Amino acid sequence: MTLVEWADEVRVALGLPETEAMDRKDVDRVLDLAKDAAHSVARPAAPLTAYLLGIAVGRGADPEAAARMLGELARSRAGDDGSGT
């Protein structure tokens, strides 16, 4: 199963419309953001950041712009003590 297929299964399970389907570009955007958060902030920041991105996009934020901004924010934290607090 690919991640795009998994995302589609999750979409259906959540009752989201087909217009909310993710393609490979969408999946890659989320994975890249999660990588930036995990490596630059702390590993647990990855799912938390992806979740918050989803909330923002659900409220109308542009997915690409929001992911780019959050990725930059995470990368700017690289070298902090990594305590996650």
Side-chain angles (χ1 to χ4, degrees):
M1 169 177 286
T2 69
L3 291 176
V4 172
E5 291 167 335
W6 170 245
D8 201 51
E9 272 195 42
V10 171
R11 179 192 59 78
V12 170
L14 292 173
L16 298 173
E18 194 168 329
T19 57
E20 299 296 326
M22 294 179 73
D23 61 19
R24 186 68 210 177
K25 183 178 176 183
D26 297 323
V27 170
D28 288 344
R29 180 181 303 120
V30 172
L31 294 177
D32 287 344
L33 174 59
K35 176 191 67 164
D36 288 340
H39 292 206
S40 300
V41 180
R43 287 180 68 132
L48 178 61
T49 305
Y51 175 77
L52 292 170
L53 173 66
I55 291 174
V57 170
R59 293 183 177 174
D62 175 77
E64 190 171 337
R68 182 174 45 252
M69 184 272 299
L70 291 175
E72 290 169 1
L73 178 64
R75 289 187 302 276
S76 77
R77 300 300 187 259
D80 284 356
D81 69 2
S83 67
T85 59

